[in-house]
Amino acid sequence: MKAAAFKEVGGPEVLRLVELPAPEPGQAEVLSRVAYAGLNCGEVQHRLGDFGAPEGETVTGLEASGTVRRSVRA
């Protein structure tokens, strides 16, 4: 899957497109196909360093909408 991510503090220029393994849903979770994703204020603050430097690759777009592809019941 493709994702926008950053691993250093900075402006929008530190964001880059990365390829990640497709996630697998666990118990009581769903796998969704994201149609739209947004960066919230906290993600922007993290990228700017307000919460310290990121520890490794940090994927953005925690607010998202799309369709459920698969679910695993509890």
Side-chain angles (χ1 to χ4, degrees), residues 19-36:
E19 186 71 35
L20 299 173
E24 289 293 324
Q27 285 292 87
E29 293 182 340
V30 298
L31 177 66
S32 60
R33 169 170 249 141
V34 174
Y36 301 96

Side-chain angles (χ1 to χ4, degrees), residues 6 9 45-55:
F6 64 97
V9 170
Q45 287 179 288
H46 189 184
R47 180 180 44 85
L48 293 173
D50 291 353
F51 308 132
E55 295 179 13

Side-chain angles (χ1 to χ4, degrees), residues 4 6 9 11 20 22 25 29 31 35 37 39-40 43 46 52 54 56-57 60-61 63-64 68 71 74:
F6 64 97
V9 170
L20 299 173
E29 293 182 340
L31 177 66
L39 278 90
N40 64 35
E43 291 176 289
H46 189 184
E57 200 79 68
T60 61
E63 296 177 355
V68 173
S71 64

